[in-house]
Amino acid sequence: MTLTAFLNPRSIAVVGASQKADSVGGRIMGQLTTSFDGPIYPINPNYDTVRGLPAFPTIGAVGQPVDLVLAAASSKLIPSILRESTQSGAQGAVVYSSGFAEVGGAGEALQAELDRLVAETGLRLLGPNCLGFANFRRGLTATFTRVPFDVRDGNIAVLAQSGSMGIGTASLLRADGAGVGFWAATGNELDVSTGELAMELLASDEDVPDVIAMVVEGVNNAETVMKAGRQAARAGKQVVLLKLGRTERGRQAAISHTAALAGSYASFAAACEQNGIVMVDTIRELVDVTRGFAAGRRPRGNRVVVISSSGGNGALMADATEQARLALPQPSAQLRARLAEVLPSFGSAGNPIDITGNLVNDLRPVAAVLEEIGSSDEFDIVAYGTVARTLPETHREILLRAAQGTDKPFLALAHQPDVLARMAERGLTCFADAASLIGVAGKLVQAQEAGAFLDVTDAPAAGGATVTATTGTLSESESKALLVRYGVPVPTETVVDEEDAAVRAVEELPGPAVFKIDAAWLPHKSDVGGVIIGVRGREAAAAAFARLGRVARQHRPTPDAPYRILVAEQVPPGIELMLGLTRDPVHGAVVTLAAGGVAAEIIAESQVSVVPFNRSRAQAMVDRLWGGRLVSHHRGLTAAARESLVDVLMGVQRLALAEPTVAEADVNPLIATADRVVAVDGLVVLDGGEG
């Protein structure tokens, strides 16, 4: 059943409707009767009329079709109210009451009863434990909280699990001059989720927004959120998302608040980007980035030009470009010469362009510079500072004409809230902080770049599983054999049981050898001295074999626990990386690339992708690691090693798709040499299937 009852209901029944203005039922009736133009049926056996409308003792007594039921009643009464609603033909219901799964115990049982009712009847339910929703385009304000801003239809939808954060976001957007067309607080998300609401809005003929600002705590149905992001991106729209519960403390708070499942934040962030969703860290950033996308312009590249009458603001914006992964190119000699002709002699035609404070006396350089920049193909984004109350109205008109005269994103700085809001209402997107402005520009570019990750047709096919075991840990040799099967290079190596075989193996290698204990019961060999490097010659090989035998017998869990000795070529020194495969409880298979060796835990920065992903995504993982220095630094990867690493990432992805019993695969270190990468160590853990 669709969500039409929420977007465009023909009639509404309010259970718990009240004449008391400050009660929940009274507030709902107060806002609804002043905005909604369809039939409203107050349901309360204690009243004959509510706000001049005939009241009914039950929904069944209405005698007319009811599309949407707004239930403002005790949680214990909700199951019977909803059953009666379905018998009266209701398609949707909003349950405002708390006291369900978020409180545990009896509340969980009560929510489970609602869950069964929804499954049996097909009724679509928003909540429980929610503030409701508002479709401002329809004049439908179905909430008991007072909307704390002047309602103005707009191209933004705000969807949040948390009611206060959702209404706060909408309030800040409105204060900054933006228009909000739809708002909803989904609460516990027993049935209707933020993701599904987003998809319904995007598919709507009348209510489709250009930007959806979303605040989620846990994600019971992450797949729906990702589908909404992908649907928006393909339609030229944008989902901007703030995820709560990123840390362990935050996850516990989210679980207690909405009883939602919280997965790994890194996996969630990767999934978002792979599905066209832009993530932010704060409500303020959510508001700013949403407004940036609502302006409707997308950059062709990441080249930003900063134009400022203040050296300080220009420097601050220039500083922020590095973190935002934006280029700040200097104008060409020809453009620089043209700019110098119109600027004061004490200005600067570089980037940032300094038009100087002399604009208080002469605005002609402002118009001339903006005209040159707007028509130039050397920049993709214009960042201007500052619009101020003290400057004449002519200055604002110049900026508005310049913004309208180019198809580039045109972002301006306005420290004063009234100026910011007024300019936004007139069509110029302004921000109160210079660094925030540049951050928004970075998000615009990020969304464009993420478009390359949407098409996963070149992701590998699953193939047939080859691992027959279902649980346990594989030995290093078994783990590497599996990795090789999926295209991960390993050193030349052999497993031996006898000293003579170990000696022969060393003699056949062109360089020094590494000896390791090879046993499934010893995944971390170096912790017990189970690795010997630099082995050369017969005597050293025999001694290494004997020594590791003693270590293995000393540490094995039972007297008959099996072990062998792995003899491998010693890979020359190179860049040590770590490659991991895990199964996230929310997103499934996840591939991680990070620093390897002893630096793995010290350097926590990593690149993560959710399976499936395309080759462009694998390349981005490599190119972004360590701020891009893995490939850009002169001691970083060679072109050949980069391609080898991308191949390995795609291979590990294929392993994840083909082998559902592999719960975890850890390659550490993965050494990058001059022309390739080699898995020096490997560990595979089985658990019987995806978790």
Side-chain angles (χ1 to χ4, degrees), residues 130-195:
C130 76
L131 287 188
F133 73 99
N135 186 345
F136 297 120
R137 295 184 179 183
R138 178 71 201 277
L140 171 55
T141 310
T143 177
F144 64 86
T145 189
R146 289 194 174 90
V147 177
F149 51 84
D150 294 333
V151 174
R152 184 168 71 89
D153 184 17
N155 64 341
I156 297 171
V158 177
L159 309 177
Q161 286 180 267
S162 165
S164 62
M165 296 191 77
I167 203 71
T169 300
S171 298
L172 289 170
L173 283 165
R174 189 64 195 92
D176 285 353
V180 177
F182 191 92
W183 165 85
T186 56
N188 287 12
E189 294 196 351
L190 178 149
D191 177 33
V192 177
S193 66
T194 50

Side-chain angles (χ1 to χ4, degrees), residues 496-507 515 541-542 545 565 567:
V496 300
D497 294 307
E498 299 177 348
E499 180 182 302
D500 288 346
V503 170
R504 287 195 300 272
V506 170
E507 290 179 333
F515 276 48
F545 182 87
I565 303 300
V567 181

